[in-house]
Amino acid sequence: MLKVLIAEDDLIIASMTEEVLVEGGFEVCGIARTVGEAVALGRLHKPDLALLDVRLADGGLGTEVAAQLAALGRIGVLYATGNSVNVLENAVEGDACIVKPYGLDDLVRALEIVAEIVATGTASPPFPRGFDLLPRATSTAGHPEMRAS
């Protein structure tokens, strides 16, 4: 069972996300509202995957979490955002993003794709609505044509 760290400042969304991911076969190792909380949970639990809201409490960014967690080894990163353009252009670490609002089944599928990228270096369709691979994942996967939208 893959361990997922959730960084989301809206506790209602975080709780609902946790429930959906557990039902989808993932183990949620923690929920964080801030960059500091997310990094501390990541160091403690060493998750396989991280679902990171781009805008966190206290003005923090999910991209900061991904950058700090990169020191722990290869963690699959899925960003959740209202605007994927900024993430696609600026995220140094990370594999994919999904645009809010997203369907809960789409979220589970997006994390499955990120797990596949980490495990095999490839990303297999079908891609959920509002899902995009980041440049690192595309170059890792070796399939620039696999960018979804």
Side-chain angles (χ1 to χ4, degrees):
M1 185 177 297
L2 295 174
K3 289 190 289 188
V4 180
L5 168 66
I6 299 171
E8 168 64 60
D9 61 336
D10 184 318
L11 293 178
I12 294 171
I13 292 173
S15 178
M16 187 171 36
T17 299
E18 177 181 27
E19 184 177 320
V20 168
L21 294 182
V22 169
E23 289 174 5
F26 295 96
E27 174 189 344
V28 174
C29 63
I31 296 173
R33 295 186 66 241
T34 67
V35 171
E37 290 173 2
V39 171
L41 284 171
R43 288 182 178 139
L44 178 66
H45 295 288
K46 311 243 183 314
D48 303 297
L49 304 169
L51 172 60
L52 307 176
D53 187 7
V54 172
R55 302 229 180 260
L56 298 171
D58 299 334
L61 298 173
T63 53
E64 296 172 49
V65 175
Q68 291 185 48
L69 291 181
L72 301 176
R74 180 69 166 99
I75 296 173
V77 174
L78 175 65
Y79 293 103
T81 182
N83 180 359
S84 65
V85 173
N86 191 35
V87 174
L88 290 168
E89 292 176 352
N90 298 312
V92 174
E93 298 294 333
D95 299 289
C97 66
I98 190 164
V99 177
K100 294 178 178 180
Y102 45 76
L104 297 176
D105 289 340
D106 289 340
L107 179 61
V108 170
R109 177 65 188 133
L111 277 173
E112 290 170 347
I113 294 167
V114 170
E116 179 185 13
I117 292 167
V118 172
T120 68
T122 61
S124 302
F127 297 119
R129 182 181 60 79
F131 177 85
D132 278 297
L133 294 172
L134 297 180
R136 177 179 93 168
T138 304
S139 64
T140 300
H143 300 286
E145 72 279 5
M146 294 188 71
R147 185 163 171 205
S149 55

